[in-house]
Amino acid sequence: MIVDAVIPTFRPVRRLMEILKLLERQTVPLRRVRIINSGREGFEGFLNEEKLTEQELLDRFPFLVLEHIRAEEFDHGATRSRAFAESEGAEYVLAMTQDALPKGETLVEELLKPLEADEKTAVSYARQLPNPDASCEERISRAFNYPDQPRGKTQADTKELGIKAYFCSNVCALYRKSLWDGLGGFPEKTIFNEDMIYAGTALQAGYRIYYAANACVYHSHSYTASQQFHRNFDLGVSQAQNPQIFAGLSSEGEGLQYVRAVVREMQREHQMGRIPGFVLRCAARFAGYRMGKAYECLPEWMVLRCTSNRNFWLQRQQE
């Protein structure tokens, strides 16, 4: 069994070294970990912090392959697709981000189980746990979006789950490489959401995806209202640009359930003072999402003000 991993990086910090050490100790070994780094200068800062040269890092982790690209070259879909395509001979490819810290040494093993059990499973994705210093909101959010019960999902589950049936996260997800090739991989030139677009493609083609709740990584963020707006603007754009996947599946109902669940839990934990800030951030998310869905009606200058990925739009202008 051959398993490779792909990790895009941008200005990584010490956590990346912790991730590599845990990937090195997995019970199912990784043949290769391919890092696609955007911007050499940011990576030099990481190396200086670790008091290593690039060659010393490669010598420390023999499975590591490191490639540098210009920051403006990065694309959520195309960059990962190129790295996946270079994983020749791999049966499975693990997609991760630079801030997803495995919980223990069985992450790959647990992600593999549903793929090995059923050849119709296209991808399995990990449970995301809050970091130890996560805010109350992030802790509750992770529990809502990543419950402790595993679940396989097929196209039929859209009737019950709506758009959440397509949910999959490249924060940590293991793909069946032959099927990934057969389905055309991730979309090229995508602003965001390449993981859900692929998952939707797989489900519509008759395959299934699997939420592997026993495969865990620590991953959480405390975004401001402004950051939430920009991220959800890009989310709305990605859905508007891929109607073949998202048409007829609304996110608003799922979002409302999330808000209610978090507010209830904050009340239960006597965190009433945090509710106004949470509601403000949710309003920013909703506004960003709705504007992103309607991006074609907006002037270019406004799109550039709303997005968190200016390079995506500037490349489109050049083309």
Side-chain angles (χ1 to χ4, degrees):
M1 185 183 302
I2 300 175
V3 184
D4 284 354
V6 170
I7 308 176
T9 62
F10 177 68
R11 296 178 181 173
V13 295
R14 176 160 293 174
R15 190 178 181 99
L16 178 61
M17 184 66 76
E18 300 175 35
I19 292 168
L20 292 174
K21 290 177 181 177
L22 279 164
L23 292 181
E24 185 180 43
R25 300 202 301 267
Q26 291 296 299
T27 53
V28 174
L30 296 168
R31 177 185 68 169
R32 184 179 298 126
V33 175
R34 187 181 302 276
I35 289 180
I36 311 294
N37 176 66
S38 299
R40 184 181 288 272
E41 183 178 337
F43 204 84
E44 288 295 331
F46 162 71
L47 292 173
N48 290 337
E49 185 179 3
E50 294 299 320
K51 297 181 173 56
L52 292 171
T53 66
E54 188 170 303
Q55 188 57 53
E56 287 171 339
L57 177 69
L58 295 173
D59 291 341
R60 169 64 182 82
F61 298 103
F63 61 15
L64 191 60
V65 176
L66 176 60
E67 177 185 354
H68 296 283
I69 62 174
R70 291 181 295 116
E72 56 269 26
E73 292 179 50
F74 177 79
D75 177 89
H76 281 276
T79 301
R80 287 181 171 89
S81 283
R82 182 163 57 82
F84 271 48
E86 291 170 352
S87 297
E88 296 181 3
E91 296 172 67
Y92 303 98
V93 181
L94 175 66
M96 292 187 70
T97 56
Q98 67 184 42
D99 53 357
L101 181 67
K103 181 186 177 184
E105 302 171 3
T106 61
L107 173 69
V108 179
E109 179 182 341
E110 293 295 339
L111 287 170
L112 266 174
K113 286 179 179 178
L115 290 160
E116 290 283 279
D118 183 359
E119 63 181 13
K120 297 288 285 185
T121 300
V123 54
S124 65
Y125 65 97
R127 182 183 182 190
Q128 296 181 30
L129 303 174
N131 290 316
D133 61 349
S135 66
C136 170
E137 177 183 331
E138 274 299 294
R139 179 172 48 77
I140 298 170
S141 173
R142 285 295 176 269
F144 177 83
N145 289 313
Y146 298 94
D148 59 5
Q149 292 300 312
R151 176 166 185 168
K153 296 182 288 186
T154 68
Q155 181 66 13
D157 289 307
T158 57
K159 296 177 182 178
E160 174 194 350
L161 300 175
I163 199 169
K164 202 166 184 179
Y166 290 173
F167 183 76
C168 178
S169 176
N170 273 347
V171 164
C172 185
L174 186 64
Y175 291 81
R176 189 184 303 277
K177 178 64 161 51
S178 60
L179 186 53
W180 184 89
D181 289 332
L183 292 175
F186 302 120
E188 300 287 316
K189 302 296 181 185
T190 183
I191 190 170
F192 194 54
N193 223 21
E194 79 291 337
D195 35 24
M196 281 187 69
I197 295 169
Y198 177 82
T201 301
L203 264 61
Q204 290 178 9
Y207 297 96
R208 76 169 189 159
I209 60 177
Y210 196 89
Y211 169 54
N214 293 327
C216 299
V217 293
Y218 291 102
H219 178 263
S220 59
H221 294 283
S222 295
Y223 291 122
T224 64
S226 175
Q227 290 170 323
Q228 295 281 18
F229 174 87
H230 293 307
R231 285 177 57 83
N232 276 53
F233 179 85
D234 292 348
L235 175 63
V237 169
S238 75
Q239 292 188 15
Q241 291 182 341
N242 291 276
Q244 78 284 4
I245 302 297
F246 298 109
L249 295 175
S250 173
S251 296
E252 284 87 342
E254 176 64 23
L256 188 57
Q257 289 182 40
Y258 165 74
V259 173
R260 289 171 175 167
V262 174
V263 168
R264 281 197 303 268
E265 185 62 21
M266 285 182 170
Q267 291 173 333
R268 192 185 70 82
E269 295 186 10
H270 306 291
Q271 299 286 334
M272 301 291 290
R274 298 181 182 271
I275 292 177
F278 168 70
V279 172
L280 174 62
R281 286 184 288 276
C282 288
R285 291 171 66 170
F286 181 73
Y289 172 74
R290 294 298 296 177
M291 289 183 69
K293 291 273 283 188
Y295 79 96
E296 291 182 300
C297 301
L298 305 178
E300 288 186 4
W301 67 265
M302 185 175 291
V303 169
L304 290 174
R305 293 287 294 272
C306 291
T307 186
S308 64
N309 190 348
R310 289 174 60 88
N311 284 333
F312 173 81
W313 300 102
L314 296 175
Q315 289 173 9
R316 279 168 60 99
Q317 291 175 357
Q318 293 172 2
E319 294 169 359

